[in-house]
Amino acid sequence: MRLRDKVALITGASNGVGRATAATFACEGAMVVVADIDDVTGADTVEEIHSAGGRAHYLHLDVTDEASWRTAIEEVLSHFGRLDVLVNNAGISGSCDTGLTSTDYFDRLMSVNARSVFLGIKHGSAAMRHSGGGSIVNLSSISASIGLRGVHIGYGASKAAVKSMTTTGAVHYAADGIRVNAVAPGMLPPMRTTRGTSSDPVFRATQVDAIPMKRVGEVQEVANVVLFLASDESSYVTGTETVVDGGWNSV
Ligand SMILES: NC(=O)c1ccc[n+]([C@@H]2O[C@H](COP(=O)([O-])OP(=O)(O)OC[C@H]3O[C@@H](n4cnc5c(N)ncnc54)[C@H](O)[C@@H]3O)[C@@H](O)[C@H]2O)c1
C-alpha cells in the first residue's frame, strides 16, 4: 500500500477530483479526512469509502475562512495525532454566469481558489512539522499557463497564484521535510460550479477537438498523479507542476 497509515486531509473531497482522490488514498491505506462545505455529499463519500473497507472521516471546512482552517487542523491532530498529506483541491470554476469580467466573481475566485491554498499551506505545514514532514499537493489548472476562451479572466490568475505558491512553498518548507507540488488538469468533466459558455455542449466539443488526445480527462487520471505526489515514491520531488491535459497545453 502506497499511503499505509498516512493521515491525509483533502479539501473539496465531496465531489469530482477530490472525491476520486479520497477513494484512491483510502484504497492505498490512508486515513482520509474528507473536507468540504457540501456536507451531504461529503457524508456519501465517507460512506462509499467505508463500504469499500477504507478509513475516512468527514470534516466541514470552508477553505476561505482562516478560523475554519484552525479548527479543522486541531480536529485532525486531536483525532488522528498527525497530518502527513494535504491536498488543496477545493475550487470554483472560471466559467460563471456573472460575466467574464465581474469584479465580485474575481474576488470570489481569488478567495476560493487562491487564498484557500495560502491558508492550507500555512496551517497544514505547521501541523506537518509536528509529524516530521509531509506532502502538500495543490490543484492548479492549465489556465495558469495558457489563455482559454469562455473563462473569467481572473480564473487563470487564481490558478497562477496556486502555481507560484507551490514553488515558493517548496523552497520555504524543504528544510522541514515538507514537499509542495501542484497538479494542473486540462479539461475534465464540468465542475459543479461550471456555468455559461463552458457548460455549452457545442462549445465543449470544439474544445475537445483541440485536445491532441481528443477526449476529456477523467478525475481518476488526476487522482493517480496526486497519489504519486502524496506518496513517498516522489520523495525527491518538490516545487513541480504536473500537467494532466491530454497534450492540450502543448498545441
Ligand atoms: N473540472 C475541470 O475541468 C478542472 C480543470 C482544471 C482544474 N480543475 C481544478 O480541480 C479542482 C477540483 O475540481 P472538480 O472538477 O473536482 O470540481 P467540483 O466542482 O466537482 O468539486 C469541487 C469541490 O470543492 C468544494 N468547494 C467549493 N468551495 C468550497 C469552499 N469554500 N470550501 C470547501 N470546499 C469547497 C465543492 O463543494 C466541491 O465538492 C479545482 O481546484 C479545480 O479548479 C478542474
Side-chain angles (χ1 to χ4, degrees):
M1 287 195 169
R2 297 162 72 185
L3 295 178
R4 186 187 296 278
D5 294 333
K6 290 198 189 284
V7 176
L9 170 62
I10 305 171
T11 70
S14 293
N15 299 283
V17 170
R19 185 173 181 139
T21 303
T24 303
F25 279 19
C27 279
E28 293 294 339
M31 169 66 229
V32 181
V33 180
V34 171
D36 209 294
I37 47 174
D38 180 353
D39 300 338
V40 174
T41 320
D44 279 356
T45 306
V46 167
E47 183 49 41
E48 188 180 84
I49 291 171
H50 288 167
S51 305
R55 292 177 295 161
H57 173 82
Y58 182 74
L59 195 67
H60 181 91
L61 168 63
D62 177 351
V63 292
T64 65
D65 178 43
E66 185 153 23
S68 197
W69 269 106
R70 280 201 192 90
T71 309
I73 295 292
E74 274 167 21
E75 200 172 318
V76 170
L77 293 180
S78 78
H79 275 71
F80 308 110
R82 55 189 298 115
L83 179 66
D84 302 296
V85 177
L86 168 65
V87 183
N88 283 314
N89 163 78
I92 55 171
S93 176
S95 311
C96 52
D97 51 14
T98 57
L100 302 186
T101 54
S102 155
T103 305
D104 284 347
Y105 202 71
F106 178 86
D107 291 342
R108 186 79 191 136
L109 282 165
M110 288 299 164
S111 182
V112 182
N113 292 358
R115 175 184 161 88
S116 62
V117 173
F118 164 71
L119 293 174
I121 292 175
K122 175 179 173 180
H123 293 284
S125 64
M128 284 176 182
R129 241 183 258 124
H130 290 295
S131 314
S135 172
I136 298 175
V137 185
N138 302 320
L139 266 292
S140 172
S141 163
I142 59 161
S143 303
S145 310
I146 63 171
L148 294 176
R149 287 181 298 126
V151 175
H152 189 289
I153 60 170
Y155 180 73
S158 73
K159 292 301 189 181
V162 173
K163 187 175 175 177
S164 173
M165 286 186 277
T166 300
T167 48
T168 306
V171 171
H172 275 218
Y173 299 113
D176 296 315
I178 301 168
R179 297 182 295 106
V180 188
N181 290 288
V183 177
M187 194 174 179
L188 303 176
M191 297 176 71
R192 285 163 55 82
T193 42
T194 298
R195 306 280 184 274
T197 314
S198 295
S199 56
D200 172 13
V202 176
F203 178 78
R204 287 182 69 79
T206 61
Q207 284 192 308
V208 170
D209 201 46
I211 299 170
M213 285 192 180
K214 301 289 179 202
R215 67 173 177 85
V216 169
E218 294 171 14
V219 289
Q220 187 62 50
E221 292 175 308
V222 179
N224 294 342
V225 178
V226 177
L227 170 63
F228 169 70
L229 293 170
S231 77
D232 294 338
E233 290 162 22
S234 56
S235 50
Y236 198 53
V237 180
T238 196
T240 70
E241 183 189 63
T242 304
V243 176
V244 184
D245 73 344
W248 200 11
N249 183 42
S250 309
V251 175

